[in-house]
Amino acid sequence: MSTKIGDRVKRSEDKRFITGAGKYTDDIRQENQAYAAFVRSPYAHANVKGIDASAAEAMDGVIAVLNGAQLTGDGIGNIICGWAVSSKDGSPMNMGAWSALATEKVRYVGDAVAVVIAETDALARLGAEAVEVDYEELPTVVKADKALAEGAPQIHENAPGNQIFDWEIGDQAATDAALATAAHITEVDITNNRLSPNPMEPRAAIATYDAAEEHYTLYTTSQNPHVARLVLSAFYNVAPEHKLRVIAPDVGGGFGAKIYIYPEEITCLWASMKTNRSVKWTSDRSEAFMTDAHGRDHITNARMGFDADGKIVGFKVDTIANVGAYMSLFSSAVPTYLYGTLMSGQYDMPAIHCNVRTAYTNTVPVDAYRGAGRPEATYLIETMMERAAREMAMDPAELRRRNFIQSFPHQTPVILAYDAGDFPKILQMAQESADVAGFATRKAEAASRGMLRGLGYSTFIEACGLAPSAAAGSLGAGVGLWESAEVRMNPVGTIEVLTGSHSHGQGHETTFAQIVADRFDIPIENVKIVHGDTDKVQFGMGTYGSRSAPVGMSAVVKAMDKVEAKIKKIVAHVLEADEADLVIEGGAVSVAGTDKQMLWHEIGLAAYMAHNLPEGMEPGLKETAFFDPVNFSFPSGAFICEVEVDPETGTTEIVQFTSADDFGTIINPMIVEGQVHGGVAQGIGQALLEQVIYDDDGQLLTGSYMDYTMPRADDLPFFTIDHHATPSPNNPLGVKGCGEAGAIGAPPAVINAITDAIGAEGLAMPATPMNVWRAIQAAKSSIAAE
């Protein structure tokens, strides 16, 4: 019996992972391999007055010490931002220069100024320590609001006042008018805490230059190897595209942090050419904290107006987004088109205005991190809705129901047109699973033990499968957002699928094979998924933004359509039958109502032997397709979190977490549940534990797991997960994407539950025991003062 869509199939790739047979970038060993170690600035902001590499160059085993002047002298270009966002006055964004190796100025702690190439990793690191750099320290600024203030240190000369752009979306006049007549206004000031992505596998790169062929090969921890090759070639001038091969083997997690091309990959490629050696670099965890793109870091003031019946009349948002020292690849899109366009949430809002100012600071660049803009928008909307319900003495679920969008498609005031959903049904499912009706009893029981019990909601929507290319291009995207696939049926009937999507934990080798097995009714073991190598796979856009299912799988379906059409032509010709009478089942193609059939391997042999093909048909059985969606897909969900808080210590325990999600068609429930579990865990981490902190001098205070607190198993409850599908009409499978939902919906559910428990508003993330305890004491003081 073949595998079907909807079956709970175990991940085929897990065998090699759990037995230690995975092959990650750091596992690769090249002939004549040398090692790179970077000389990094200890200052957050400084002029580089000189570099003395003589001591390092004199060390045994050191091959070369290379610097930024040499790199730029060889024509290597600056790192770019790939999405052009203009200010509301039409002026272009102020993109500061970012060289892979800094030349005249460093702008954050960890900014690289030189690289040492040596025979071993240890020697390279010793050589890097021996390089002496003369710095002239400059004043620093690490907070985005302070960076925009008058008199702040100037980080890039072409960005006056450190502002990159001042962007808006929506109708300011209509929103102001709606708020002016609102019966009730809820106002919040919210900080969305900065996070470090922390994928299990650190970033790594191995670059090899073949002087005879003038050809480069780069093994790297990338979520999108083709885009990496394009950018390295077209913008950074490392090598012509046809002379550069990029391979992303097994990749141990990404969470957005491995979308981008970083200075290290560029430098390793260039250093391989300069030294005629393979050059390997693997980040240690300290470097990862110091150099991997961070996420979130917004400061927002927002006002939401309601009429006398609790219906939203207007929503006004003013956000300052910290972009860090340089603009990373998607850094401009995250706080704008992935944030402002989601301000309607699940609600029918007639008027919205969102203004976003972005600022340079002396910190690590900030870019997409699991959810990318959607978590920031959801946290704002859902904490706002919870507070508004309390202020108006309404049940928070009822306030949401009154404002839910009820019919689809639905055009929001902020560009997006939602395709399908059933928000009341999802909320009802979550409430039933969470036994909301019995909460009062559980709260009373907790109070008898001296504990505070709270319940928090989060109903959210996200835009996934970034699309369509033409629309994204009109908004400033530097690349198309389609995906490609090639489906090959081999002579013996096995199938290979070459996809431009990339798997780094999502289980593509299972789910992509599952849709093929379902379509052709063959064993899933007879399907192989190939990805991650630009020499093997046609150009593709990679994996991010939960796009692999709605976009990547859709390309596979289109290619399968073509393969099936050719199969039926061959079988109809050989069996002298009508194509309309053919049925694919049981590893064969049969003529309905007869015993005439061709087995799967017989079809493959017929296609490649070419002894009896229809006139004019080419031999072989291989088809390629590209899929460019007509719209985003829109997963949605309702999360309910229940917590107990110890008022004496501020310690929070999540006693129950319930999710009800609409991901459209679900290919493999087991994998989807795993994605939700992981996303919720990361969302809980943000809500309770995680925060990147810099001191006023730009020194990273949370540069290790001693100081940056990751969620552990005992921080998490067992999750209750339900699904309700409203298939997307915009792709052939009806899928919507699931990889980011947990990280998007969890933080507000957790914080809303805690504030419900302690009876205090304004609790900032992370809700550490100290922060919760202080909020409890502040609430007590406020009550006493009244």
Side-chain angles (χ1 to χ4, degrees), residues 76 152 235 280 300 421 452 541 656 696:
I76 304 300
F235 298 100
K280 180 176 185 177
T300 298
L452 306 175
M541 301 311 300
Q656 178 176 278
D696 290 341

Side-chain angles (χ1 to χ4, degrees), residues 24 287 301 407 451 497 604 742 759 775 783:
Y24 299 90
E287 280 184 295
N301 171 265
S407 61
M451 305 297 283
V497 176
I783 293 171

Side-chain angles (χ1 to χ4, degrees), residues 436-648:
V436 172
F439 173 69
T441 301
R442 298 192 296 276
K443 184 179 180 72
E445 187 280 327
S448 71
R449 295 182 282 108
M451 305 297 283
L452 306 175
R453 201 168 184 110
L455 189 84
Y457 289 89
S458 173
T459 55
F460 62 94
I461 192 167
E462 51 172 321
C464 294
L466 300 180
S469 295
S474 70
L475 299 176
V479 294
L481 294 172
W482 44 265
E483 195 47 85
S484 67
E486 181 180 307
V487 175
R488 299 174 181 171
M489 182 171 169
N490 297 319
V492 294
T494 56
I495 290 180
E496 293 175 302
V497 176
L498 289 77
T499 173
S501 298
H502 184 273
S503 181
H504 37 278
Q506 295 87 347
H508 292 174
E509 293 176 34
T510 302
T511 52
F512 277 58
Q514 198 165 341
I515 65 170
V516 177
D518 176 270
R519 176 68 169 271
F520 294 137
D521 203 22
I522 61 174
I524 195 170
E525 296 81 8
N526 290 357
V527 183
K528 180 181 180 181
I529 308 301
V530 180
H531 64 93
D533 187 337
T534 60
D535 271 14
K536 292 181 179 179
V537 178
Q538 69 289 339
F539 195 101
M541 301 311 300
T543 294
Y544 43 86
S546 300
R547 70 192 306 271
S548 294
V551 189
M553 282 187 182
S554 296
V556 175
V557 170
K558 286 187 67 177
M560 286 195 294
D561 289 342
K562 297 178 182 180
V563 170
E564 180 177 327
K566 188 169 183 180
I567 285 172
K568 287 185 174 180
K569 288 183 185 298
I570 293 171
V571 174
H573 174 74
V574 173
L575 298 183
E576 298 180 346
D578 193 309
E579 288 182 44
D581 294 332
L582 299 180
V583 179
I584 299 176
E585 60 182 1
V589 179
S590 306
V591 181
T594 76
D595 59 358
K596 298 171 64 176
Q597 68 174 13
M598 288 185 70
L599 298 176
W600 205 245
H601 71 275
E602 293 176 330
I603 300 168
L605 286 171
Y608 286 93
M609 296 295 288
H611 291 166
N612 186 19
L613 294 178
E615 185 175 352
M617 177 180 283
E618 294 179 355
L621 203 45
K622 177 179 74 171
E623 298 290 348
T624 299
F626 291 77
F627 182 76
D628 196 353
V630 297
N631 193 4
F632 290 90
S633 63
F634 296 96
S636 59
F639 288 176
I640 300 176
C641 179
E642 193 168 326
V643 302
E644 267 193 10
V645 179
D646 184 339
E648 299 300 319

Side-chain angles (χ1 to χ4, degrees), residues 696-755:
D696 290 341
D697 294 325
Q699 296 296 325
L700 182 64
L701 301 182
T702 50
S704 76
Y705 290 134
M706 295 293 289
D707 303 297
Y708 187 92
T709 310
M710 297 281 285
R712 301 186 181 195
D714 60 356
D715 294 311
L716 307 173
F718 286 98
F719 303 122
T720 301
I721 297 178
D722 289 320
H723 303 292
H724 173 68
T726 58
S728 171
N730 295 320
N731 64 71
L733 290 169
V735 296
K736 293 184 177 182
C738 69
E740 296 166 295
I744 291 169
V750 174
I751 296 299
N752 288 339
I754 298 173
T755 55

Side-chain angles (χ1 to χ4, degrees), residues 85 115 124 150 188 234 267-268 275 309 348 405 417 504 520 559 602 631 654 661 698 708 742 758 762 765:
V85 172
V115 63
E150 186 176 353
V188 298
T267 302
C268 284
T275 62
D309 296 321
D348 189 1
I405 296 163
H504 37 278
F520 294 137
E602 293 176 330
N631 193 4
I654 299 175
D661 295 289
Y708 187 92
I758 67 177
M765 295 190 292

